[in-house]
Amino acid sequence: KEETPHRTPWWLILLRLAIAALLIVGLSHPLWNAAQPFARSGALMLVIDDGWAAGPGWAERQALAEDLISEADREHRSVALLTTAPQANGQLRPVSLLSAGQAAAQVGALQPSPWLVDRAKALQALNAADFAKDLNTVWLSDGVAGQKAEDDRALADALGKRGQLTVMDDGAGAVPILLQPPEIGAQGITVRALRAATGAPQRINVRVLDRDNHSLGLVTLDFAADQTVATQKVDLPIEL
């Protein structure tokens, strides 16, 4: 006859507790791969280039900003948001310390402006805010140099002096191509395009239109690996 003990063995109790703990951890979806803690003790500062060049991949840029804000929220940090493109009134958005919720709402409402960034004004806004020098700064750059290279360097230097600076961009291949005004001659039209960086061959297609938006043809421009300029001639139709 088999006998059942009146008391459950201690090892069986421990086994059941361990299984229960694993179930709880599994159901809670723990952030094993959460972002590494910020290096400095201060707030998170997000610097976002929101001019025309930031248009491609804007949703991904916003998602990355929201992930960083969520990490700051988990670490109970305030967030400062500095955008670099002026608003329609010519002024930058005011800079101040925000809660993670406020920062997420502002980032969600941001849209790229159809003009250039102004990093000189961004530097003025940063200096006016007078933040403590222990920030964790992430600059979501559009990858395009400003009209004055010294303005870009000055902003980067000022951010670096206020804590740890990390600059993130989409890579040279993601930067928009700039089409210059066509050169019109007796033999046809010359189409010229510029890109921000060299490093790899790149091919683009450009449709040429007349003043009435009638197509004059599709032309292919090829960038050599070591060139930032590509040109191609378009022969004008005989009827023109």
Side-chain angles (χ1 to χ4, degrees):
K1 181 180 178 180
E2 185 177 349
E3 295 182 358
T4 301
H6 293 291
R7 299 182 63 183
T8 304
W10 64 267
W11 58 267
L12 184 55
I13 295 174
L14 290 179
L15 179 60
R16 290 173 177 171
L17 289 173
I19 292 173
L22 288 174
L23 284 173
I24 292 171
V25 170
L27 292 173
S28 66
H29 301 287
L31 294 170
W32 294 116
N33 294 319
Q36 293 296 320
F38 296 111
R40 299 298 183 95
S41 62
L44 166 66
M45 168 167 277
L46 277 177
V47 182
I48 301 179
D49 284 340
D50 57 336
W52 69 268
W58 180 254
E60 290 80 2
R61 196 179 302 271
Q62 280 182 309
L64 176 55
E66 289 166 356
D67 286 345
L68 291 166
I69 292 170
S70 295
E71 177 62 19
D73 189 27
R74 286 191 288 271
E75 297 185 13
H76 307 290
R77 297 175 187 268
S78 299
V79 181
L81 183 62
L82 173 61
T83 55
T84 59
Q87 301 178 89
N89 62 6
Q91 301 301 314
L92 294 184
R93 294 174 178 83
V95 184
S96 62
L97 285 178
L98 307 169
S99 69
Q102 291 171 324
Q106 289 194 18
V107 167
L110 278 179
Q111 291 297 324
S113 299
W115 43 72
L116 294 170
V117 300
D118 190 334
R119 295 183 180 127
K121 283 188 176 179
L123 177 58
Q124 294 174 4
L126 176 66
N127 289 335
D130 194 26
F131 289 118
K133 297 182 179 180
D134 204 20
L135 299 172
N136 300 275
T137 301
V138 180
W139 184 352
L140 303 184
S141 170
D142 59 17
V144 177
Q147 293 179 309
K148 295 182 179 180
E150 57 268 27
D151 292 341
D152 300 344
R153 289 193 296 268
L155 179 58
D157 289 345
L159 292 170
K161 291 176 181 177
R162 286 166 170 78
Q164 176 173 288
L165 171 62
T166 302
V167 180
M168 306 179 71
D169 61 30
D170 298 324
V175 175
I177 302 296
L178 175 65
L179 285 177
Q180 293 190 311
E183 300 172 4
I184 302 176
Q187 303 301 319
I189 299 174
T190 300
V191 179
R192 182 185 299 271
L194 304 177
R195 63 177 181 173
T198 61
Q202 188 175 4
R203 171 172 290 183
I204 64 171
N205 294 317
V206 177
R207 183 168 297 280
V208 182
L209 305 175
D210 65 12
R211 292 180 179 177
D212 297 321
N213 285 332
H214 297 140
S215 176
L216 300 180
L218 187 68
V219 61
T220 298
L221 281 73
D222 289 302
F223 291 93
D226 60 344
Q227 297 294 322
T228 58
V229 179
T231 61
Q232 186 59 268
K233 181 181 174 183
V234 181
D235 293 326
L236 293 174
I238 296 176
E239 55 269 24
L240 293 179

